[in-house]
Amino acid sequence: MDWDIHAFLKAKRDGQSHRPGEIRAFVQRLVAHQIPDYQTAAWLMAAFLQGLGQEELLELTLAMATAGTERNEPPLFAGTLDKHSTGGVGDSVTLLFLPICAASGMRIVKLSGRGLGFTGGTLDKLDAIPGFRTDLGLRELHAIADQVGCAQGGQSAELAPADKILYALRDATETVEHPALIASSVMSKKLAAGAESLVLDVKWGRGAFMTDREAARELARRMVEIGTGAGRRVAALLTDMNQPLSHAVGNALEVRAALDELRSGCQGRLGRVAVALAEEAAQLMGAAQTDVGEAVRSGAAFRKALEWIEAQGGRIDPHTPTYGLPVAAVQRPVYADEEGYVVGFDTRGIGEVARRLGAGRLSVEDVIHPAVGIELHVEIGSPVRSDAPWATVHAQNAASAEEAAAVLATSLELSESPPHPSALPPLVERP
Amino acid sequence: MDWDIHAFLKAKRDGQSHRPGEIRAFVQRLVAHQIPDYQTAAWLMAAFLQGLGQEELLELTLAMATAGTERNEPPLFAGTLDKHSTGGVGDSVTLLFLPICAASGMRIVKLSGRGLGFTGGTLDKLDAIPGFRTDLGLRELHAIADQVGCAQGGQSAELAPADKILYALRDATETVEHPALIASSVMSKKLAAGAESLVLDVKWGRGAFMTDREAARELARRMVEIGTGAGRRVAALLTDMNQPLSHAVGNALEVRAALDELRSGCQGRLGRVAVALAEEAAQLMGAAQTDVGEAVRSGAAFRKALEWIEAQGGRIDPHTPTYGLPVAAVQRPVYADEEGYVVGFDTRGIGEVARRLGAGRLSVEDVIHPAVGIELHVEIGSPVRSDAPWATVHAQNAASAEEAAAVLATSLELSESPPHPSALPPLVERP
């Protein structure tokens, strides 16, 4: 088609919708390195401020899912489920969701990225399990899913090359936090991965990338819109990330907490979110008669987790409290100066403390220390006494434990009375 | 100051005003090549869409006028006048304005750029005069102005280096046509040139960069706002550029038409615009008793033009109709197919025809042919007969003359009756 970057920029600058084919032409040239970065950056800022309509967003996402690959359309694996979380502090839902779905008779192959900044990544968490292989190819992952029902692999950089280019520029130009642009980035990778059904866990709150509930709602709506437009089955839930979702933040600690939660029947916040998402998945997959709750209560989901981890090479000892996972050199309890009830956490701050302990990375070169992190012994509403630790720091040495404890002291918000349940947002809701 | 490009981009993206000092910090880093182009491009698009307030615009312009030079503040030459036109087809006002002001007792040193696209540049026009030197330094120009009252030089690329960087990126990212950004670009160069008083000729219409009258009004308002904020005396007039301002388009032809207009007392559109601007200048300079009209009527302005041209090395023969200027090889009259009254011109199209004849350039490497161009024998309201040419093409050869005549045939708009004067916009008005 007759395409010109100047007319393209001018149209979005002036708030017009791009005509069909124009966004695809842009993305194809982008992947062919025919568009200078400054023109792409100008378009991103214009799109951020002027918005993208439904048709434009679908075209952008489909183009990103295929441009630079050998396909014209993204692949489609019938009967396969995928899940995506927008990420947050202590978000280890995937570690529960996979075995719960598999134990309920669904088939799921999930690809994840690594963590960056204050949130961890599923691959980093699984890497904390001795022997666990996250470097399997798609063929091996599907073979494991055929046998166990679920498999978890890493996301190849070449899955959606246009997204890689756009994301790097968005990061440099303050155009990351836009529902349409986030939606196209996430969905381009999910479409490229090929699952027929997709469950979205859209997090909001103080420990999520999106702190605003309405922005998260908009993001959820737009992701569902794209997925449905691309012919996939998609459901989304909004989940509350104002406090760490797990009682642990850190890789081995989160694996341990996830296994504990599965073993004890998913009564905690983490388990309830995983079960709610698995129930959405069962509906999407047309497995309405599947009893997700029964798979959890009967212990089948916990046994499936052990089976899955073993199938991917991981070595877990279910007969010790630490499951044989690595343990940090130093455990340092953290006490509150005052007593009261927990009314809030600086959740993002807690994520940053964990990262500084070595649980995450600021740049892709940073090395992860699997055993470090923070255990939380309270949640919002819990009483806090000055003679019982509300958290435990797991550190490589005493100095970094002290530093972490000092920052954590400022992360806990107490009040004389507990918050009324009606004042708290729902843990899970529809967008 | 504590400055961060991410916070800077985020602020403008979110429609906030930059705090004092932030824009200056940006421009200083820009000139030091510390800001990647894609971040500058994102800021330009955000500023284009979110706008710049009065304080921000003044800071941007002053920073552009000084960043990368050895000054902290722009220079200020007391008692010196400058003029700027936003440019248009057949806009040779400067060639009249300089000698009119000088003959009225004012002192003016003007720096101009070269033409690009459908408009010509003053330097290209003066280069058509045999021997005329446009390559004089500021010291030589001021010496000539001391003696004659006026001087015209070229604009050094280093006058406002930040503008050069920003302009190139604006051109590539469709962020040129914004009143605030245009105003800061123009005014940064004018402030850097140092005149105490400045008259702005803001053109609008079919032969100007700004076709929209209200956008031109906004541009004028913002340029005056900046100049006044920077402590200069500034006045602006809006002038109608719906038809070519001169009866000629092309370098030597425009010099000839300008001298004819001065000699005959400035009764035409070109002369009236020049006189109106000179009267504004006299007011600004506090020379209220100066009789600009008398300087024109008495012939003093015409004699001053000859004196000025001679002072800059130019050789003019006032005793021949062509003033000794170069004459093109081919003159080709253009007739209308029908008869009627002129109600409009494709003014920009006429500028493009002149450029293709060799009167202007598309890229900076193009060579100018001084003698080529178009003479117009009619203006809006004139009767057109099929047996009298309405234009004459001056070309290097018959082929290019034919091509030009063919395009010109589509550039004239006729009607059975002349337009009523009240339906025409004012030639000159206050913004």
Side-chain angles (χ1 to χ4, degrees), chain A residues 6 13 39 49 171-172 174, chain B residues 6 13 39 49 171-172 174:
Chain A
H6 284 276
R13 179 197 84 185
Q39 291 179 325
L49 291 172
D171 198 36
E174 290 294 313
Chain B
H6 285 275
R13 180 197 84 187
Q39 290 180 326
L49 291 173
D171 198 36
E174 290 294 314

Side-chain angles (χ1 to χ4, degrees), chain A residues 352-368:
Chain A
E352 301 276 9
V353 170
R355 183 187 54 71
R356 269 207 296 275
L357 283 166
R361 42 172 90 75
L362 252 191
S363 78
V364 286
E365 295 85 28
D366 291 349
V367 174
I368 299 269

Side-chain angles (χ1 to χ4, degrees), chain A residues 295-358:
Chain A
V296 171
R297 280 189 300 274
S298 67
F302 176 66
R303 291 190 297 276
K304 181 59 78 179
L306 300 180
E307 185 189 350
W308 158 52
I309 290 169
E310 193 183 343
Q312 289 202 224
R315 294 182 299 275
I316 285 280
D317 177 2
H319 306 296
T320 70
T322 61
Y323 299 93
L325 294 165
V327 174
V330 173
Q331 277 78 34
R332 201 296 198 176
V334 184
Y335 295 88
D337 291 337
E338 296 168 39
E339 305 204 325
Y341 293 89
V342 182
V343 291
F345 293 96
D346 176 4
T347 308
R348 183 169 181 146
I350 292 171
E352 301 276 9
V353 170
R355 183 187 54 71
R356 269 207 296 275
L357 283 166

